Amino acid sequence: MDERISPAAIASRLGTQIIGRRLEVHEQIDSTNIRATELARQGAAEGTLVLAEQQTQGKGRLGRQWLAPAGSSLLMSLLLRPALALPQIHRVTMICSLAIVEATARVAGLRASIKWPNDVTIGGKKVAGILTE
């Protein structure tokens, strides 16, 4: 069974009007965040999603490196253009954290928790990190 990310499979299952309607999938990339930033500067639409099987220069909070072997993680960056003042931008992280917790419960039946300020955990182990820039 091919376990690669399939843009067609994702598109056929999307129930969204904005999120993921423009989608890039990379087998390997330096960083989904770097690519999403490039796309944002080029005027890409809100909801643009960049996915990768592997990234070689992944970014985390406080300049940390985000490393994950190929096929081990969902590596993605989502371009949002919220109408928020810069001091309120932390709200995006909170909303994304809550969405991950809710989706994890609904889809996988697992109870996830938010570890402030930007991590989601299951059973005390980190399963997601959110970097808002």
Side-chain angles (χ1 to χ4, degrees):
M1 178 171 98
D2 187 6
E3 294 186 29
R4 290 190 178 175
I5 299 170
S6 165
I10 292 169
S12 71
R13 291 175 177 88
L14 279 178
T16 63
Q17 293 180 0
I18 296 172
I19 305 295
R21 289 296 163 186
R22 174 163 185 211
L23 176 65
E24 279 193 10
V25 177
H26 301 269
E27 189 170 321
Q28 184 180 48
I29 194 170
D30 53 358
S31 163
T32 61
N33 183 276
I34 290 170
R35 179 62 182 147
T37 300
E38 291 170 356
L39 292 169
R41 288 189 177 126
Q42 295 168 7
E46 181 172 36
T48 297
L49 183 62
V50 181
L51 294 159
E53 298 281 347
Q54 181 180 16
Q55 54 185 8
T56 59
Q57 297 174 34
K59 294 169 51 174
R61 200 170 144 266
L62 303 175
R64 294 183 183 118
Q65 206 173 21
W66 181 269
L67 298 175
S72 70
S73 304
L74 295 173
L75 303 167
M76 66 184 85
S77 293
L78 175 63
L79 174 58
L80 298 174
R81 298 183 183 277
L84 295 172
L86 192 54
Q88 298 176 332
I89 207 69
H90 67 280
R91 293 178 178 181
V92 173
T93 302
M94 288 187 244
I95 291 167
C96 290
S97 297
L98 290 169
I100 292 169
V101 167
E102 184 177 314
T104 301
R106 191 179 308 169
V107 174
L110 298 173
R111 183 178 176 163
S113 301
I114 298 169
K115 180 182 172 193
W116 182 255
N118 69 322
D119 292 337
V120 177
T121 63
I122 296 176
K125 296 189 179 191
K126 181 176 177 175
V127 296
I130 301 155
L131 176 63
T132 304
E133 293 189 321

